[in-house]
């Protein structure tokens, strides 16, 4: 259960999608290396449009074959009125040498105005008027959307996966850096999020429609990083 909780925390780092000025998302697939203090994973993230004109699906599959550990995520989202509405979020986590994977399923109900988590983590919270709580994937997409609009300082309402608490987080563009992937340079905006005991930097590729390529999360007791290995497809 401790491992499951730690990986829930990790998910607040995860990847965003591509959103252009007309609210369209580009399909893409990227291979990543993810480093935890207690394990590492190799994974592939895929983003694609569904049959509906304004709905999208995201999947992430990561594993460490040596430790018999894995992380599998799926999410569905809807775009409307220039806003991002998370629909569902599911993750399965298998700790090193654990026999069975833990699972969490989160559903957003905009009719009843509730968010419900089932599986190994159980809770239900209301959706307050005027607030759109963001899961890890929709959070990164909203960050990218703001960068596309030229917004460099903003606050987002973030959903904590372990208990359903909703907190406002502040983000700010602090500069630019270049990431090199397979001998190709990608200039990136660096977005900073700081709290009392945590500093997180997000790297959004300017020339790839602001896809989130890298995350570096530092805390007093540990450091977690998500690094791009190869861009498999885009557009």
């Amino acid at each position: 259960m401790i491992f499951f909780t730690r990986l829930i925390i990790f998910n607040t780092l995860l990847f965003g999608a591509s959103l252009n000025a007309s609210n369209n998302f580009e399909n893409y697939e990227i291979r990543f290396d993810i480093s935890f203090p207690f394990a590492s994973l190799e994974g592939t993230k895929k983003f694609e449009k569904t049959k509906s004109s304004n709905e999208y699906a995201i999947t992430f599959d990561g594993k460490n074959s040596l430790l018999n550990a894995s992380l599998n995520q799926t999410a569905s989202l809807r775009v409307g009125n220039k806003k991002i509405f998370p629909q569902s979020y599911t993750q399965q986590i298998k700790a090193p040498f654990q026999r069975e994977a833990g699972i969490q399923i989160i559903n957003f109900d905009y009719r009843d105005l509730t968010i419900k988590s089932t599986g190994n983590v159980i809770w239900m919270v209301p959706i307050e008027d005027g607030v759109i709580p963001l899961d890890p994937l929709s959070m990164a997409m909203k960050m990218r959307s703001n960068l596309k609009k030229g917004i460099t300082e903003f606050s987002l309402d973030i959903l904590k996966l372990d208990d359903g608490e909703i907190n406002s987080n502040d983000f700010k563009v602090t500069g630019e850096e270049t990431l090199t992937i397979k001998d190709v340079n990608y200039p990136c905006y660096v977005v900073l999020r700081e709290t009392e005991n945590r500093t997180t930097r997000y790297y959004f590729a300017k020339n790839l429609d602001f896809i989130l390529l890298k995350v570096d999360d530092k805390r007093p007791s540990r450091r977690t990083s998500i690094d791009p290995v190869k861009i498999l497809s885009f557009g």
Side-chain angles (χ1 to χ4, degrees):
M1 193 64 183
I2 293 176
F3 185 85
F4 191 83
T5 301
R6 287 177 177 174
L7 279 177
I8 285 176
I9 295 172
F10 147 75
N11 282 296
T12 60
L13 306 176
L14 272 182
F15 324 108
S18 277
L19 175 64
N20 63 27
S22 60
N23 284 336
N24 289 321
F25 291 77
E26 299 285 353
N27 293 348
Y28 66 88
E29 189 172 5
I30 304 177
R31 184 176 298 145
F32 290 93
D33 280 341
I34 307 171
S35 299
F36 304 100
F38 45 87
S40 61
L41 299 174
E42 297 178 352
T44 300
K45 184 205 169 199
K46 187 175 183 179
F47 174 87
E48 58 186 350
K49 192 172 186 177
T50 66
K51 294 181 180 180
S52 175
S53 61
N54 63 344
E55 294 184 0
Y56 305 85
I58 303 172
T59 60
F60 176 80
D61 295 302
K63 65 180 180 179
N64 183 314
S65 299
L66 182 63
L67 298 178
N68 193 26
S70 63
L71 169 65
N72 306 102
Q73 298 173 299
T74 62
S76 62
L77 308 105
R78 179 173 57 86
V79 177
N81 298 323
K82 299 182 179 180
K83 295 181 181 180
I84 297 171
F85 296 91
Q87 303 295 299
S88 65
Y89 178 89
T90 301
Q91 63 180 13
Q92 288 184 288
I93 299 170
K94 190 173 185 298
F97 308 111
Q98 188 179 36
R99 294 185 62 183
E100 297 183 357
I103 186 170
Q104 182 178 18
I105 303 169
I106 299 175
N107 285 297
F108 297 77
D109 190 329
Y110 297 100
R111 291 186 178 180
D112 293 338
L113 296 178
T114 59
I115 308 172
K116 185 177 182 180
S117 174
T118 58
N120 294 95
V121 182
I122 300 174
W123 46 257
M124 185 169 66
V125 296
I127 300 177
E128 302 294 340
D129 184 35
V131 175
I132 302 177
L134 301 171
D135 63 68
L137 298 176
S138 58
M139 177 196 77
M141 291 170 63
K142 182 61 176 177
M143 293 169 64
R144 185 210 157 272
S145 175
N146 285 345
L147 293 177
K148 289 281 290 182
K149 297 174 183 176
I151 303 172
T152 58
E153 292 189 45
F154 49 90
S155 298
L156 301 178
D157 294 312
I158 309 302
L159 179 69
K160 289 180 61 179
L161 302 186
D162 53 352
D163 59 11
E165 183 179 351
I166 300 169
N167 294 310
S168 178
N169 285 239
D170 296 326
F171 299 82
K172 180 180 180 180
V173 174
T174 58
E176 298 185 23
E177 292 187 27
T178 298
L179 299 181
T180 302
I181 307 171
K182 298 293 183 180
D183 298 324
V184 179
N185 293 329
Y186 297 97
C188 297
Y189 280 133
V190 181
V191 179
L192 176 67
R193 176 174 66 167
E194 286 186 305
T195 62
E196 183 177 349
N197 59 357
R198 180 178 180 183
T199 300
T200 310
R201 287 179 171 85
Y202 306 83
Y203 296 74
F204 290 85
K206 296 170 59 179
N207 296 337
L208 284 179
D209 206 21
F210 291 89
I211 286 178
L212 177 58
L213 288 183
K214 175 183 172 68
V215 181
D216 186 22
D217 184 62
K218 297 180 181 179
R219 310 183 192 201
S221 60
R222 62 182 181 272
R223 179 177 181 175
T224 302
S225 64
I226 303 170
D227 297 289
V229 175
K230 185 177 181 179
I231 298 173
L232 301 175
S233 63
F234 175 76

